Structure formats: structure tokens, C-alpha cells
Amino acid sequence: MIKFILNLIRLIFRKKPIDIPIEETIINEAIKTPEVIISVEIPKIETIEEIIKRIANEEGVEELLCLSIAQCESGLNPKAVNEKGNYPATSRDRGLFQINSFWHKSISDEQAFNPEFATRFFCKAVKDKNLAWWLSSQKCWKSKINSNIINKYL
């Protein structure tokens, strides 16, 4: 029975079953004790929206502001890239918040495409009164956010 349960757990985690020597007494005890329960915690995968909300709350920035700007900038796509209409022309906007490669040279592609890093970068920037970095997309997000919230970060 224990061997069956172990192999079932391996199947769930896509590992090949292997023979593990189990003492006869352990098997007998498991059979005598039907209330033996094996629980496996499966980690929860956060959605992009959940990541943004969690980090916004941790950083003390309005969730709606973070979500609206990320939606307008990238469609909530952490791998979004824009190479058109940038200044300078050779620069690229990357990730959820379209972090520009020229103006933010210290931010690697790996960081810009990481939803947690990008959201923390955005939160720090707006707390430092740099919301203006995202004004080019304000036609999309400004109507969704109370002007008092916007003014707080300008």
C-alpha cells in the first residue's frame, strides 16, 4: 500500500516509480492504521494580475494604478517588446511596464521581463514621483484612475 502511494506521488510529479525497500513492519502498521494520510501541497501559481496586486500592496502603491498602466503598456504580457516609435530609435521598451533599454541601461532584459522585478521597479519609480515616465500611454489609463491618485505620484 505504501509503495502504491509513493508511486502515485511520483506519478503526480512525473517521476518514474522506483523500488524502495520498505520493511515489512512498516507495511503491516500502515495496513493496521487506515487513518494514515499523506498530503502533498501543490504550490499555487500566481497570475500576472495577482503578482501586480501583491507587490503593489507590499510597496504601498495603488493596485489600480499598477494594473491599469501595465494593461495599457503591455496588455499584462511580461514578455512584451516595443521597438517602434521610441527615442532614441534603437531603444526597446520591455516587459509589463515597458522599461526602456536606453533610459534605464542598468535594467537587464532578464529584469525587465521578470514580472516581480518590473512591478517593484514601477512602484519605486512612482513613489519617487516618476509617474511621468508613463505619460505617453495616459490616454489609455488616465480615465480609469482617480485624479487624486495620479497627482499623488506626479
Side-chain angles (χ1 to χ4, degrees):
M1 184 158 134
I2 289 186
K3 221 179 216 185
F4 170 77
I5 293 170
L6 290 173
N7 284 331
L8 182 61
I9 291 169
R10 285 186 189 89
L11 178 65
I12 291 170
F13 291 103
R14 296 193 174 11
K15 291 185 179 177
K16 292 180 181 177
I18 56 173
D19 287 329
I20 298 176
I22 299 175
E23 291 184 29
E24 189 72 28
T25 55
I26 294 173
I27 294 171
N28 290 336
E29 287 304 309
I31 292 168
K32 288 180 200 171
T33 318
E35 64 273 358
V36 172
I37 298 172
I38 296 177
S39 70
V40 177
E41 187 173 324
I42 298 172
K44 182 184 180 294
I45 308 277
E46 283 182 299
T47 65
I48 295 300
E49 199 170 308
E50 290 168 335
I51 291 170
I52 292 171
K53 286 179 179 180
R54 175 177 51 80
I55 293 172
N57 286 312
E58 290 172 6
E59 297 290 336
V61 175
E62 298 286 334
E63 280 182 19
L64 182 60
L65 179 70
C66 296
L67 284 168
S68 296
I69 291 179
Q71 177 65 50
C72 292
E73 289 285 336
S74 66
L76 297 178
N77 177 0
K79 300 297 179 193
V81 175
N82 176 36
E83 297 176 330
K84 296 178 183 173
N86 290 337
Y87 177 81
T90 56
S91 68
R92 298 167 58 227
D93 296 329
R94 308 157 296 165
L96 283 173
F97 293 95
Q98 296 291 276
I99 301 168
N100 187 274
S101 62
F102 179 82
W103 299 109
H104 304 286
K105 289 180 173 89
S106 65
I107 308 300
S108 69
D109 282 351
E110 182 179 339
Q111 292 170 316
F113 293 128
N114 179 302
E116 292 209 21
F117 179 90
T119 305
R120 288 194 194 283
F121 173 87
F122 173 80
C123 289
K124 181 180 181 338
V126 297
K127 287 194 300 188
D128 290 344
K129 305 285 186 191
N130 290 312
L131 181 59
W133 292 350
W134 288 274
L135 288 182
S136 63
S137 65
Q138 72 178 325
K139 286 181 183 177
C140 176
W141 55 262
K142 195 172 184 179
S143 64
K144 300 173 188 173
I145 304 166
N146 182 299
S147 61
N148 291 332
I149 294 172
I150 294 169
N151 293 334
K152 180 179 173 181
Y153 299 109
L154 286 175

